[in-house]
């Protein structure tokens, strides 16, 4: 695919989308994990936010790989591309846990007979959401910084 529009590479556009969508999805994951009222307010919106973030990552990486083949290879660019390959699993995790957490509160809590299982899920679920949210935010910051360094360093 030709990842340009009017001769301008689309990678910066997709990078900015990812730089906003991933932290918003991560913050949404953390908020729904710790604030029950927000979980009810966001409802299915939380997984949709996670889906937008997830969709933005392959767009940014594919357009970045296209652009990489047209740029001078440097150690900084190589570091950025290697780091970027690690973003997708974290975005998948944020999306998956947001879907599971929404489904659990929408359908699961009333169907499980054992109070111990409900309690365990209500402890483990938020911890997982917080962990994947924090790590995905850290990842996008590190990747973005590496990309900016590779562009703006002589």
């Amino acid at each position: 695919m030709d990842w340009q529009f009017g001769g301008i590479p689309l990678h910066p556009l997709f990078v900015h989308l990812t730089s906003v969508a991933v932290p918003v999805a991560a913050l949404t994951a953390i908020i729904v994990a710790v604030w029950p009222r927000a979980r009810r307010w966001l409802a299915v919106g939380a997984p949709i936010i996670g889906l937008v973030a997830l969709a933005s990552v392959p767009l940014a990486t594919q357009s970045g790989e296209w652009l990489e083949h047209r740029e001078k290879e440097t150690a900084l660019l190589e570091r950025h591309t290697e780091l970027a390959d690690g973003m997708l699993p974290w975005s998948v995790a944020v999306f998956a846990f947001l879907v599971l957490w929404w489904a659990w509160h929408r359908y699961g809590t009333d169907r499980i007979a054992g109070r111990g299982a409900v309690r365990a899920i209500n402890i483990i679920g938020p911890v997982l959401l917080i962990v994947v949210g924090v790590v995905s935010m850290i990842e996008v910051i590190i990747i973005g910084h590496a990309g900016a360094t590779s562009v703006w360093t002589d």
Side-chain angles (χ1 to χ4, degrees):
M1 181 173 183
D2 189 22
W3 291 96
Q4 59 183 343
F5 182 76
I8 299 172
L10 291 172
H11 183 63
L13 175 69
F14 292 133
V15 164
H16 284 90
L17 172 63
T18 303
S19 298
V20 172
V22 169
V24 168
L27 288 172
T28 301
I30 293 167
I31 289 169
V32 300
V34 299
W35 191 14
R37 187 175 184 139
R39 182 174 49 244
R40 287 187 298 274
W41 179 70
L42 285 167
V44 75
I48 291 171
I49 292 168
L51 181 60
V52 170
L54 175 59
S56 74
V57 172
L59 291 171
T61 55
Q62 290 298 314
S63 64
E65 287 175 7
W66 177 87
L67 186 58
E68 178 187 17
H69 296 297
R70 284 150 183 81
E71 294 294 320
K72 179 182 156 198
E73 190 172 325
T74 65
L76 293 172
L77 181 59
E78 185 64 29
R79 174 166 163 65
H80 170 63
T81 57
E82 286 175 5
L83 289 169
D85 289 337
M87 188 69 239
L88 187 60
W90 292 106
S91 294
V92 169
V94 168
F95 172 65
F97 286 130
L98 281 169
V99 169
L100 291 171
W101 195 239
W102 168 78
W104 168 248
H105 285 284
R106 177 76 168 99
Y107 302 108
T109 54
D110 298 334
R111 298 183 184 193
I112 298 211
R115 301 289 291 156
V118 170
R119 185 178 174 111
I121 292 170
N122 284 335
I123 292 170
I124 294 169
V127 169
L128 291 173
L129 281 165
I130 291 168
V131 168
V132 298
V134 168
V135 172
S136 69
M137 278 194 289
I138 292 168
E139 283 286 312
V140 82
I141 290 167
I142 291 170
I143 294 164
H145 180 69
T149 302
S150 74
V151 168
W152 296 107
T153 301
D154 291 333

